[in-house]
Amino acid sequence: MFVFGDGWAAYEGPCAAHDSHAHVAVQLTAARSGLVHLAADRGRELWGEALILAPRVRHRMPASADVVLLVYVETHTPLASKLVALIAPDDAGPAPPIVRDRLLSNEPTDQIMRGLKADLGEATRVLDPRLEWALLRASQSPAPGTIARAASALDLSTARLRALAQSQLSAPLSQWLLWRKLERSGRALAAGAPLSEAALAGGFADQAHLNRTMKRMFGVTPFEAAQVVRPSDKRSVQ
C-alpha cells in the first residue's frame, strides 16, 4: 500500500529485494513484527525495530515477507532536518523511542506523520525564499531547463541556485527534481496507471528513463514496484 502526503511518501507491505541504491529523502524504516535489517555503505549492518537513514546514503534491504513501513521524508521539510539531527553525527542508526514508538503504532500513516511533527516540536527551519520559490516552480514544471529558467527569473546564476539548494537541502537540486518526478510517477502507479502513463505523468522522456531512475534511487524497477500495488489501494493515495 502506497500513501502520499505533504512532503512525504510511504509504503507498507512486504519488502522486495533491493539493489544497493541512494536517494535524496530521509528514510524511516519500521518492522511491524521483529526487527528490520538494512545494509548500508561501508559494510554497515543495521538492525532495529525502527531505523533512520539520512539522505544520499547507499543501502539495500533484503527481501522479506514480513510487513515493513517505509516512509520517505523530503529534505526541504523541517521534519527531515529534525530526524537527521536525532542520529547525528551518524548518517544511519536506530530511531530513538520518540520516533520508534510513533512508527510502531497501529495508526494510519497520515496520523503517524502528524504525530511525529507534533512530537518533535514546531518547525524552526526556514528555507531561503528564493529557493522556496524555485522549488515550487520546479515541482510544477518537470520540463528540461527548469533550473536555468528558475534561476533567471530570480536574477541568480544557475550555479548560485544550485549551491543554495545544496546548502539547504543537503542534496543537489537536480536530484531533488528527479525525486519529485518519481513522486508523480509513483502516484500514477498507485492509482493503477500502466508504466507508460506513469512515465508520462512524471515527466520522463519514456518508460526506459523512468526505469533507470527508479532503479538508481530505489533499487527496484517500476515493474517490480507495481507488483505490490493493488486496485484497492487507490483509497490510500492522497
Side-chain angles (χ1 to χ4, degrees):
M1 181 174 67
F2 290 99
V3 184
F4 296 90
D6 183 15
W8 58 270
Y11 163 77
E12 184 171 3
C15 182
H18 291 63
D19 290 343
S20 180
H21 62 285
H23 46 65
V24 295
V26 175
Q27 178 177 312
L28 303 175
T29 307
R32 287 309 190 199
S33 63
L35 301 177
V36 68
H37 174 210
L38 189 149
D41 57 5
R42 302 194 300 275
R44 293 177 292 175
E45 300 285 337
L46 302 176
W47 297 83
E49 292 179 295
L51 304 172
I52 299 176
L53 189 71
R56 306 183 69 196
V57 176
R58 295 201 65 82
H59 63 283
R60 64 178 178 82
M61 293 181 63
S64 173
D66 295 331
V67 173
V68 297
L69 173 65
L70 297 172
V71 181
Y72 303 96
V73 184
E74 294 184 8
T75 56
H76 68 281
T77 62
L79 179 59
S81 60
K82 289 178 178 292
L83 290 169
V84 172
L86 291 175
I87 57 171
D90 293 328
D91 56 12
I98 192 171
V99 174
R100 180 200 63 205
D101 293 347
R102 183 66 68 177
L103 292 173
L104 296 180
S105 71
N106 291 320
E107 298 174 326
T109 311
D110 58 341
Q111 293 184 25
I112 289 176
M113 298 308 292
R114 285 197 296 269
L116 279 177
K117 292 175 184 179
D119 293 341
L120 297 181
E122 293 295 323
T124 56
R125 184 180 187 184
V126 179
L127 289 179
D128 185 296
R130 297 168 298 174
L131 178 59
E132 189 171 20
W133 182 89
L135 294 180
L136 176 62
R137 179 161 177 169
S139 65
Q140 293 172 339
S141 173
T146 293
I147 297 175
R149 288 192 296 274
S152 178
L154 290 166
D155 199 24
L156 294 174
S157 69
T158 302
R160 174 56 184 151
L161 180 57
R162 290 182 185 275
L164 192 62
Q166 179 68 52
S167 66
Q168 296 210 340
L169 302 179
S170 301
L173 184 53
S174 59
Q175 294 298 299
W176 186 89
L177 290 174
L178 279 178
W179 179 263
R180 297 311 296 267
K181 293 172 73 170
L182 283 172
E183 179 195 358
R184 286 190 289 271
S185 291
R187 287 178 182 268
L189 286 172
L195 295 179
S196 58
E197 291 183 12
L200 183 64
F204 291 95
D206 50 34
Q207 187 173 322
H209 187 198
L210 170 60
N211 187 79
R212 293 192 301 272
T213 304
M214 186 172 285
K215 185 74 170 179
R216 186 169 73 249
M217 282 201 171
F218 286 98
V220 295
T221 66
F223 177 79
E224 292 166 337
Q227 301 312 296
V228 299
V229 179
R230 298 292 182 267
S232 60
D233 291 337
K234 292 182 181 179
R235 66 184 185 281
S236 301
V237 181
Q238 301 177 351

